[in-house]
Structures are given as C-alpha cells and as structure tokens.
Amino acid sequence: MQELLQSIAPWLSDNAIFTPSTIAQYWGGFVNTVQLVFISLVIGLFLAVPLAIGRASPIWLLRKGIWLYTWIFRGTPLLIQLYIAYYGLAFIPGVQDSLIWPLIKDPLYPALLAFTLNTAAYTTEIFYGAIKAMPRGELEAARAYGMSPMLAYRRIILPSALRRALPAYGNEVIFMLHASAIASVVTIADLTGVAYNIYSRYYAPFSAFIFVALCYMVLSFSIQGGFRLLEKRMLAHLKPR
C-alpha cells in the first residue's frame, strides 16, 4: 500500500481531497468495513443453521424461544441494537469489573455483537423458510430409505435448503454491507466514518461521500456477482431443460 501511494503521490500533490494521507485513510476504512461485515456474517451464519433447525423443531418451547429472538431483532432498528450494545452493556452491574470490560469498551466488539445477532436473526428466518419449503417428495424419499431424522437433515434437508436459500441470503449479505455504515456512530473508522472525517476537515461532502458510495457499489456488485456464480453452480439442477 505504501509503494502504491508513493507511485501516485505526484498526481495527488495538486489535489486537496485525494492526498496520500486521505487515500490511506480510505483504505483503512475499507479494510475495517470488510472485516466487520465478514466476521459478523460468518459468525451469524454458523449461529443461524442450528437456530433454523430449532425453529422447525416440534419442541414448542425451543421453537417459540427462537421465534422470540428473531422477532425482537427483526422488529427493532439495527442502530438501536448497536446503541444498546455499545452504551447499554457498560451499565450492567459488575460488567466494568469483569474480564470482558476491555472488550466492551472497544467499539469494535459491541458492533460485532449487534451486527452478528441481527444478521443471525434474519438468516435464521431465511433458512427456516427454505426448510419449510422443502418438497414433500424429498422427505418421503428419505423416510423410505430408512433415514433417521438427524441423518435426513444432514444428507437431504440441510443441503437442499441451503441451496434454495442462496438468493435470499445474498440479499442479506448486501444488506449487512450497507447497514455497516452506521458503525461510524460508535467511533469505528469504517468507510463512512472516514468520509465524514475528511468532509469535516476539507468541507467537501460531494467528493468524500460520493467516493465512498462508489466503494460500496463496487463491493455490492462484487458480492452480487459472486452469489450469481454460486447460484448458477448450485441451483443448475432446478432450471428447466
């Protein structure tokens, strides 16, 4: 990155907004945004799979408990959830004297907590819908082969449901990328936070925010293209010949 900045420094020397310093800040914001979204999505995905199975469980208490969790996190704004995680957790008795206090006072970890719980709730409902939409014939075939419920989930239901959930999950990934722009309100130097700092310094809102908007567009269309390739590969058997 330093070599790149040095190579374009002469071109940037006459530009008050895009200087080697601001380009480095934008790059740092880009990295922070990608890391925050990627880690939240990975953890949320691993949480959502067992939660979706529990959501489809015949056990009433388990099913309703997971439904309550998804209902709360899908029914409240992500910004409010972020505020509660960042500002609210610190006021729980005993937290400031506990071992987790160094993590809670760092804005990155409350943001990760809020984003992970939010995306896990949406992803749980996406996978739950895909499980409930399973063709009845596939379930009957699994029973005909003598598969136990756990074996049917592992070999038939989950692979089929996850493939069918790909288009909706791709939208969730892009939504989380766009929603990550609010991380700057808790002092995280993501793309939006960097753009705001540069705007405050140079009073150039169009240059700062339009450049960041282009960065988000590049990321969004890259994600969209990646999911289209996955859909073509994994859902090819569903297309009529």
Side-chain angles (χ1 to χ4, degrees):
M1 186 61 184
Q2 294 298 327
E3 295 177 357
L4 176 61
L5 291 176
Q6 291 174 2
S7 65
I8 64 175
W11 177 80
L12 296 172
S13 60
D14 297 327
N15 195 312
I17 304 301
F18 295 103
T19 65
S21 174
T22 58
I23 292 296
Q25 291 180 56
Y26 278 123
W27 175 250
F30 181 89
V31 171
N32 289 338
T33 296
V34 171
Q35 288 180 339
L36 179 62
V37 173
F38 178 77
I39 295 173
S40 300
L41 287 169
V42 169
I43 300 175
L45 179 62
F46 278 99
L47 290 174
V49 173
L51 287 173
I53 295 173
R55 180 85 167 82
S57 169
I59 302 174
W60 184 88
L61 188 60
L62 176 62
R63 187 174 69 248
K64 290 301 180 181
I66 296 173
W67 170 84
L68 180 62
Y69 156 67
T70 61
W71 181 76
I72 291 173
F73 278 89
R74 293 169 69 218
T76 54
L78 178 56
L79 180 60
I80 301 301
Q81 297 166 19
L82 179 58
Y83 280 151
I84 292 173
Y86 183 63
Y87 296 110
L89 292 179
F91 290 95
I92 297 177
V95 165
Q96 296 188 20
D97 299 323
S98 68
L99 296 176
I100 64 172
W101 175 240
L103 299 179
I104 290 179
K105 69 179 182 180
D106 185 337
L108 175 63
Y109 295 101
L112 275 175
L113 176 64
F115 286 5
T116 297
L117 293 177
N118 184 275
T119 189
Y122 279 94
T123 307
T124 295
E125 288 299 318
I126 290 171
F127 290 165
Y128 168 69
I131 291 173
K132 297 300 287 185
M134 280 281 299
R136 192 167 185 81
E138 294 184 16
L139 299 175
E140 292 175 352
R143 294 192 188 100
Y145 274 100
M147 292 185 181
S148 65
M150 290 299 296
L151 186 61
Y153 257 105
R154 185 163 59 89
R155 292 189 176 180
I156 305 294
I157 299 174
L158 278 183
S160 179
L162 294 180
R163 285 196 298 267
R164 294 172 189 276
L166 265 181
Y169 184 65
N171 291 334
E172 167 62 15
V173 172
I174 294 175
F175 167 79
M176 280 304 301
L177 172 65
H178 295 167
S180 70
I182 68 173
S184 59
V185 302
V186 293
T187 72
I188 292 178
D190 66 334
L191 275 171
T192 305
V194 169
Y196 184 80
N197 291 338
I198 292 173
Y199 151 67
S200 300
R201 180 175 180 182
Y202 296 102
Y203 299 100
F206 286 104
S207 299
F209 291 113
I210 289 177
F211 179 73
V212 164
L214 292 174
C215 292
Y216 280 112
M217 287 179 65
V218 169
L219 284 171
S220 297
F221 286 117
S222 299
I223 293 170
Q224 188 179 32
F227 271 93
R228 282 183 177 176
L229 292 176
L230 273 177
E231 290 171 25
K232 286 181 180 180
R233 181 177 180 84
M234 301 184 70
L235 302 178
H237 65 287
L238 297 178
K239 295 182 179 180
R241 297 183 180 276

